[in-house]
Structure formats: C-alpha cells, structure tokens
Amino acid sequence: MLNRFLTLLLFMVAAGNALAASQPSSSSSEWISLFDGRSLQGWKASESAGSFKVIDGQIATDGPRAHLFYIGSGSEPKFKNFEFMVEVMARPGANSGVYFHSQYQQSGWPQKGFEIQINNTHKGEGDYREMKKTGSLYGIRNQYKSIVRDNEWFTIYLKVLQKHVWVRINDTLLVDYLEPEKPFQEGEDQGRVLSEGTFALQCHDPGSKAFFRNIRVKPIPEASAAETQKSPVLDEREIQVLRLARDNFPLVDFHVHLKGGLTLEDALVESRKTGINYGVAPNCGVGFPITNDAGIDEFLKQYQGQPIFLGMQAEGREWVKLFSKQAIAKFDYVFTDAMTFTDDRGKRVRLWINQEVEIPDKQAFMEMYIDRILGVLNNEPIDIYVNPTFLPECIASEYDQLWTPERMQRVIDAARKNSVAIEINSRYRIPSPAFIKRAKAAGIKFSLGTNNADSNLGRLEYGLDMVKECGLTWKDMFMPKPDGQKPAQRRGP
C-alpha cells in the first residue's frame, strides 16, 4: 500500500510539474517582437517572395508554395529554448504552418526543424487526404480534430525546453512531447530533431490563405532551461506509432468510455503521451445514462471544444426510437453492435452476459445472429459497426469454425452496401485477420477501438497489430465528416 501511495504521489508531482512548465512563464527575459506590423523587415522568403504580403498589420499568405524565414538583422538567429506566440487566422480550406528550429533554404519544404500544423478544413490535393489538423506537431504528435474554426483568430503558444515541446491552441494543451533518447529519424525525417534554429511561416499553395500577427518570442536562458524529465527510450510499438503518424495514418481510438475512474483529463494526458487521439462515447439507450435528446445535449455541452471526437454508442435495438435524427447528427459519429437483440423465441439477449446466453444448436444460433447483424447494418443509422464478429464465451473458442467465409462475406457485403465502417476491437481482439483482409479487398473502411472496461486504455495493441499484418493505410480508415459535410439526414428510421 505504501509503495502504491508513493508511486501515485510521484506521478501527481510529475504531472503537476509538466503542466506548470507548459504554461506561459514570467521569467526575467522579455518578449521580443519579430514582426513590426508594417513590413517584412527581418524576414526572407524562399521560392516565391510574392506569396507573402503585409496587409492591415498582418502577414498574409497568398500564392505559390513558399516559406518566410525569420533572419533577424543579420546572421540567421538560433533560438534553442524559448516561448513563442503568434496569432493566426485561416480561411476555409487553408493549409499552412509555423516552423521552429529551422533554417533558411531556397526551395522545397523545410528539411530542418518541426512544423506546427495549421489546417482546420483543408482536405488535401488529388486523392491525398490530409488528416493532420491545427495544433499538430506535424507527423510526430498529430491532432485529428481541429478545435478552432476558419475565419476566426486563434493563438498558437509554443514552448521548447531542451528536449521537451509543448503546443497550446488558445488555452488548450495539445502537444506535450518529450523527444526520445534516440529520436525517430528515417528518410526525409533526418532533420526532425530538437536542436536550435529559426522560425518560418508557410504558404502551402495558392488556395491556402492564412494571416499572422503579433509574432513574438521569449528566449529562455540556458541557465534556466534545465529539463527535469529523462528522455524515453522508444519501444517497437512507439516506433510503429511514429511511422504511422508520419505516414498520415489517423491514430484515433474511437471507442473510449469515461468509466472505471477514467476522467477526460486522464484520457487527454494519455493521448499526449502516446500520440493516439480519442473518441469519447457515452452509452445511449434503454437502461443507459442517456435516453433522450436532452441527455445528448447535456453531454455535448459538457465536452464541446475539447480536443476529442464525440461519438454516440447506440445501445439495444430500441435506440432508433428514443432520439431524433437532429440530435443524433450532433455527434461526430455513431456506432453500435449486435450484442443485444431479441432472439427467435422473443427473449431479449445480451451476448456478453453468460447467464443470458443459451445455444443448444451452434449453427442455428449463427444463422440467427447473422440475421440480426444484417438487420443492424441495413436499418440503423450508424457510421461504425463495433465489437464485430463477437461470440459469446461458450462458443468463442470455435471462432474460426463458426465464422465461415460465407458468413463473413454476408456481413461485409451489408457493411459495404450501407457505407458502414468495421471496428478493429482491441478488447476482444476481433475481427480476425481473415475477416479484415476480406473486408479490405471489398473496400470497407475500418476504425480502431479499445472499448475499455476500466481506466486502462492501452495502446490499441491488437488494432495496430492488424494494421501491420493486413497492410492497412490511411486510405482504409474511417474518419468522421466535419461539420458542414455531414448529410442532412442520416440513413435509417
């Protein structure tokens, strides 16, 4: 008991120190303005100087790709430890960014340093879809849901202290990244290492219009820049996560419940640590916390504006009659499973409760079960089918025999017909690789989900194993449609 208490105390102290370090400080150093509001004096553009103009006290980006580097009054400055702030506004569809620890180069994307992404609604070019949203430490710690809107000013706050990086958007901490002892560096990522350098603003393309003002930095003296946390050593899972983050793969656990003592702040701390974003979903249905539209509104009001997706877990088959389409559409996404249904005898069954499950004939049960699954996929207005291919404990050991190719295909065909994504569930370790590969070949989208029973969220172990084994890429993954791109009415009753 004493050891557990001491461990908890040390964790609380470390968390408190990290939070305090991420806050803007009031050290003896003064804030230095890097932009005079009238000219680009002290700045130098690469490739296309005309892509940057000063308009109404703002640096405006508009034109071909270019980067505007801060060069100071002479030799390019080398900022190592500092606080940095800039006010930004992005027009609809804009892609931009702020680089740090960078250095001037005449053309191309900056090879040295890191980028803080600016992207609220940019989709990408051609068949590429850009997943990384505003506030991401690009390709290292990605944010997949923007918490700010186009046409509105917001503040980027950055703090770098030795090997530690914090990024806030307005008052919300999005990035708390401690560079590993041996940083992840592959291919074009060789320059992505914390060192020292200057800042740069990005004009991504002619369609990306962004505005910058009040650009300032507060250097932190070396004597005041001691880092108290030891750099971690990467394990294989963390290396996989970093590769996926670099490769635009949306690392989102869409099946998280605030239960077992897990709070939203706990989840956000874990997210910043692992690089995995979360979708938090309340249980909605008969006998669950939310049973009507008012309950939905209360939940969404409580968590709106947080750096998480907000999903609806629809429970039972009655849920479609409890909530209006308008209320359901307020969620980022909706999911359900087929683990609750009325069997052929008229009995309501919950498959995860052993006492409620009677299976005298396994094959007959499977046919009935598939029928219920198809009913869900064909008739209920959902985005994701979760806990897929779940089997009750009494027959779970016969998974490969009972989930025949023909049964798999029937479920896959219904999901494809109704544009429903299939969850790869880490709690139950389903569906099987055979199912996933068959679904991938059919063009099905997938989501990753923990479905946590307690406060332990893990690291999407099974899901990430399946990503590797089945060769899934960002193109195979489900992502919620942003506001304004959702259908006016969801499919279903």
Side-chain angles (χ1 to χ4, degrees), residues 237 240-241 244 249-255 276 388 422-433 436 446-451 457-473 476-477:
R237 182 70 68 197
Q240 181 191 16
V241 165
L244 291 171
F249 189 98
L251 286 158
V252 185
D253 181 344
F254 284 110
H255 198 158
I276 298 170
I422 298 291
E423 177 187 68
I424 303 175
N425 185 283
S426 288
R427 176 178 176 183
Y428 295 118
R429 300 179 64 81
I430 53 177
S432 66
I436 295 170
F446 300 93
S447 70
L448 303 180
T450 294
N451 187 16
L457 292 174
R459 293 189 288 175
L460 289 172
E461 285 82 358
Y462 181 74
L464 293 180
D465 285 345
M466 291 301 99
V467 166
K468 182 177 181 179
E469 181 173 341
C470 301
L472 303 182
T473 71
D476 298 307
M477 305 310 294

Side-chain angles (χ1 to χ4, degrees), residues 47-214:
E47 295 191 89
S48 174
S51 294
F52 299 95
K53 294 180 175 65
V54 177
I55 302 175
D56 297 330
Q58 307 153 22
I59 297 177
T61 70
D62 186 4
R65 182 186 69 181
H67 293 84
L68 185 67
F69 293 83
Y70 180 72
I71 59 170
S73 58
S75 60
E76 190 173 279
K78 298 185 183 298
F79 297 101
K80 180 179 180 181
N81 302 303
F82 55 82
E83 295 177 80
F84 173 89
M85 298 182 78
V86 58
E87 295 175 22
V88 182
M89 180 170 62
R91 295 301 189 204
N95 186 349
S96 186
V98 176
Y99 285 82
F100 65 95
H101 280 190
S102 191
Q103 67 181 20
Y104 179 82
Q105 60 185 62
Q106 292 185 353
S107 62
W109 310 107
Q111 297 299 302
K112 183 178 183 297
F114 297 83
E115 179 188 3
I116 301 172
Q117 172 81 318
I118 298 168
N119 170 18
N120 302 328
T121 56
H122 178 74
K123 296 179 181 179
E125 295 86 26
D127 63 353
Y128 177 80
R129 292 295 174 262
E130 179 58 88
M131 303 292 187
K132 299 174 282 295
K133 298 298 182 181
T134 296
S136 298
L137 186 61
Y138 194 93
I140 302 291
R141 287 290 184 264
N142 295 330
Q143 177 70 23
Y144 299 102
K145 179 180 180 179
S146 179
I147 62 170
V148 291
R149 297 179 180 275
D150 291 327
N151 297 323
E152 295 180 3
W153 287 99
F154 62 90
T155 299
I156 295 176
Y157 168 79
L158 163 69
K159 185 172 184 177
V160 179
L161 200 64
Q162 302 297 4
K163 299 299 182 181
H164 213 146
V165 177
W166 296 269
V167 177
R168 287 179 176 272
I169 298 298
N170 293 330
D171 294 325
T172 302
L173 181 63
L174 296 185
V175 174
D176 181 352
Y177 173 68
L178 185 59
E179 187 175 73
E181 188 175 293
K182 293 183 178 180
F184 174 74
Q185 293 175 280
E186 289 182 349
E188 296 181 357
D189 296 318
Q190 296 300 316
R192 306 290 180 242
V193 58
L194 292 171
S195 55
E196 61 182 13
T198 193
F199 304 101
L201 310 179
Q202 182 183 80
C203 180
H204 188 274
D205 60 77
S208 291
K209 294 178 172 60
F211 303 85
F212 303 86
R213 69 186 186 189
N214 294 335

Side-chain angles (χ1 to χ4, degrees), residues 437-459:
K437 291 175 182 178
R438 183 179 286 267
K440 174 180 165 63
I444 295 292
K445 298 291 186 182
F446 300 93
S447 70
L448 303 180
T450 294
N451 187 16
N452 55 304
D454 51 32
S455 61
N456 181 18
L457 292 174
R459 293 189 288 175

Side-chain angles (χ1 to χ4, degrees), residues 75 125 365 379 384 402 426:
S75 60
E125 295 86 26
F365 167 81
N379 299 306
I384 309 172
L402 295 173
S426 288

